[in-house]
Amino acid sequence: MRMYDIIAKKRDGLELTTEEINFWVKEYVKGTIPDYQVSALLMAIFLQGMNQRETLDLTMAMASSGEQINLSSIHGIKVDKHSTGGVGDKTTLVVGPLVAAAGVPVAKMSGRGLGHTGGTIDKLEAIPGFKTELPIDDFIQNVNKIGVAIAGQTGNLVPADKKIYALRDVTATVNHISLIASSIMSKKIASGSDAIVLDVKTGSGAFMKEEKDAFALAEEMIRIGYGANKEVVAVVSDMDQPLGYAVGNTLEVIEAIETLKGNGPNDLTELCLILGAHMLVLAKKVENFHEGKEMLKEKLYSGKALEKFVKLIQMQGGDPKVINDYHLFPGAAYSDIVISVQGGYVHGIDGEKVGTAALVSGAGRFTKESQIDLGAGIVLKKKVGEKVLKGDVLAVIYSNQEERLKDSKELLESAYLISSDPVLRSKLIRGVVTKDGIEKN
Ligand code: URA
């Protein structure tokens, strides 16, 4: 088999066989096919597309390109949760302990962030002492002991995706539904859970700016899941403005703790209850979604989910005193405020601009090597639909590098759109996709 022929076949819009897909993925990971040939193939895929069978084959070839985690020694049905990524998305920090408090094991492998803020793993590292690098045996043991563990992905999980994603990133081939779906699902499949709840974001702060693309991505991932024998449910949720108020590592962990104390922002709390309820259904803990949501509300407002988070912190070496003393988190030496220059209503908050403002403040990574400023970030004071008076504070920026505040502030100022007429907020949940189809809200 020759890579040249595979490229030419896809260039001409033909379907690749399972053997051809297995061949190029395997040989690329081994290093026998050069980057320039895979770049050409990725562009051909980007332009000509892949059918469902090819997309599933690519996913499975990537999933089996490295280590595959065996979670069978964890008792019960393991349900994973994945978000396609958005600004201020700290749901895993809440959903993990919440679902575990309801008796469903949560064995969560998460990533670091390359973008606006850190990923879940970076966020957890804002907790002094918290260890995110767990040997797999300890990871499994922790889940069996307290019901939840959240750790960084091991070095050799889906090496094919690491190489292919790095190439897509520099060849303008990231934004393709089959490629995104296979990238995400290969990692979920290799992580060993029995079922998956996907949170597919749509809006200005998301990969999928258009709702119809978010639904198409959700449907593709559901098909892959079922092709791989995993039950999958996808919730398509709003990312036209950041989720909650906090964007940045320490700031988001504090907001997650407040949510676990029952004082969280409405959108974050609601989304966590919804994602968690779907997890409970897939884990067969409850008969239906409504029963799941009621059970989780009880776990949240009784403090049981917070207790689980405390156990998670203790188990992974962190200092549980942070729960009641936020000064123990890495802070920021400098701050500035963004003020509204007019009265009216917040019409929109561009999620991507807020994300970039957080990145500029130091909360994210410009390159893989960048050091995150854990105390940096943004706290929004007004969200879409809220009334503002001239001179009101719209947002606060935090950083440990004073010179970063200015650029971050300019971005935030341009992110807010204030209008004189009252505005309706967009719906938090745009719909739910299952194997039976789409149910739009
Ligand atoms: N997230 C991923 O893991 N892969 C993609 O291709 C896009 C988003």
Side-chain angles (χ1 to χ4, degrees):
M1 211 173 279
R2 289 196 321 153
M3 185 61 174
Y4 180 95
D5 301 326
I6 295 174
I7 299 168
K9 200 169 168 189
K10 187 45 81 184
R11 177 201 62 200
D12 296 339
L14 300 173
E15 187 179 332
L16 300 181
T17 65
T18 305
E19 292 70 33
E20 285 164 338
I21 291 169
N22 287 340
F23 168 80
W24 80 259
V25 172
K26 201 163 163 206
E27 295 302 316
Y28 183 49
V29 173
K30 267 207 269 171
T32 59
I33 298 178
D35 284 351
Y36 53 79
Q37 282 193 307
V38 176
S39 301
L41 178 63
L42 288 170
M43 186 55 80
I45 291 173
F46 190 92
L47 297 172
Q48 297 287 4
M50 287 193 294
N51 65 22
Q52 288 170 19
R53 200 265 313 145
E54 289 173 291
T55 306
L56 177 59
D57 282 345
L58 176 59
T59 310
M60 299 314 277
M62 292 206 291
S64 57
S65 65
E67 200 180 322
Q68 300 203 56
I69 305 207
N70 181 350
L71 298 179
S72 58
S73 50
I74 297 175
H75 322 300
I77 300 176
K78 279 77 64 185
V79 187
D80 201 352
K81 170 240 158 218
H82 180 82
S83 157
T84 59
V87 181
D89 185 359
K90 67 285 287 173
T91 50
T92 295
L93 302 178
V94 180
V95 171
L98 183 59
V99 168
V104 169
V106 178
K108 184 89 187 88
M109 295 263 172
S110 285
R112 292 192 185 274
L114 181 62
H116 305 138
T117 62
T120 299
I121 290 305
D122 300 298
K123 289 171 195 172
L124 283 169
E125 285 178 355
I127 300 171
F130 195 100
K131 282 199 295 289
T132 55
E133 306 294 318
L134 290 185
I136 187 72
D137 290 346
D138 293 4
F139 176 73
I140 289 176
Q141 210 180 357
N142 288 6
V143 182
N144 277 334
K145 245 190 211 156
I146 63 162
V148 55
I150 308 179
Q153 278 153 10
T154 66
N156 200 29
L157 200 75
V158 198
D161 180 63
K162 288 198 185 84
K163 283 192 84 170
I164 295 169
Y165 192 86
L167 216 49
R168 287 169 57 208
D169 210 18
V170 292
T171 55
T173 51
V174 167
N175 230 344
H176 185 275
I177 284 176
S178 294
L179 292 174
I180 296 175
S182 54
S183 164
I184 293 174
M185 292 303 288
S186 63
K187 286 173 284 201
K188 295 292 110 188
I189 291 165
S191 298
S193 59
D194 304 305
I196 304 153
V197 173
L198 297 164
D199 179 13
V200 181
K201 305 284 193 192
T202 182
S204 62
F207 250 113
M208 296 290 143
K209 310 276 181 229
E210 301 298 327
E211 195 176 294
K212 70 171 180 14
D213 294 333
F215 277 105
L217 177 63
E219 285 184 294
E220 187 73 72
M221 291 196 285
I222 302 264
R223 279 193 291 268
I224 294 173
Y226 280 86
N229 247 332
K230 310 248 178 221
E231 239 188 296
V232 186
V233 169
V235 174
V236 175
S237 73
D238 179 58
M239 191 32 78
D240 252 336
Q241 63 173 337
L243 187 64
Y245 291 87
V247 185
N249 301 279
T250 284
L251 300 170
E252 291 190 39
V253 179
I254 293 173
E255 190 166 75
I257 294 171
E258 283 299 314
T259 304
L260 287 165
K261 287 179 179 173
N263 311 321
N266 290 340
D267 57 353
L268 176 62
T269 306
E270 181 66 8
L271 183 60
C272 291
L273 290 169
I274 288 171
L275 295 172
H278 284 294
M279 289 171 78
L280 262 45
V281 173
L282 290 187
K284 306 203 187 316
K285 182 76 189 173
V286 290
E287 293 278 320
N288 58 53
F289 172 79
H290 295 287
E291 198 187 318
K293 201 167 165 196
E294 288 309 308
M295 182 181 280
L296 291 181
K297 276 192 197 162
E298 192 277 322
K299 301 297 170 201
L300 186 67
Y301 295 111
S302 64
K304 290 187 187 117
L306 182 67
E307 269 171 40
K308 210 39 116 180
F309 192 54
V310 171
K311 283 206 177 114
L312 170 73
I313 295 175
Q314 284 169 329
M315 203 71 180
Q316 294 191 215
D319 183 355
K321 291 201 288 298
V322 292
I323 297 290
N324 293 314
D325 185 357
Y326 298 153
H327 293 105
L328 295 171
F329 283 107
Y334 305 98
S335 64
D336 201 352
I337 50 176
V338 175
I339 283 182
S340 184
V341 291
Q342 65 185 98
Y345 297 85
V346 179
H347 190 91
I349 307 174
D350 186 311
E352 187 152 16
K353 283 189 181 162
V354 176
T356 310
L359 171 67
V360 168
S361 76
R365 291 188 178 87
F366 281 102
T367 69
K368 266 194 278 187
E369 289 72 35
S370 309
Q371 274 281 335
I372 285 186
D373 176 352
L374 290 168
I378 315 283
V379 176
L380 305 177
K381 295 293 177 186
K382 299 281 180 190
K383 294 210 37 190
V384 174
E386 286 187 52
K387 193 168 189 304
V388 290
L389 302 174
K390 187 176 171 185
D392 274 356
V393 176
L394 295 175
V396 185
I397 312 159
Y398 297 91
S399 183
N400 283 299
Q401 289 167 278
E402 197 173 10
E403 66 281 8
R404 286 179 173 247
L405 294 174
K406 183 172 162 288
D407 288 348
S408 183
K409 183 172 174 168
E410 275 173 21
L411 274 160
L412 266 181
E413 280 165 349
S414 68
Y416 270 89
L417 183 63
I418 311 286
S419 70
S420 45
D421 300 322
V423 192
L424 273 185
R425 293 166 200 220
S426 48
K427 282 184 186 152
L428 175 65
I429 305 298
R430 304 295 178 82
V432 177
V433 187
T434 64
K435 64 175 185 315
D436 302 323
I438 297 177
E439 208 176 292
K440 285 205 179 178
N441 265 10

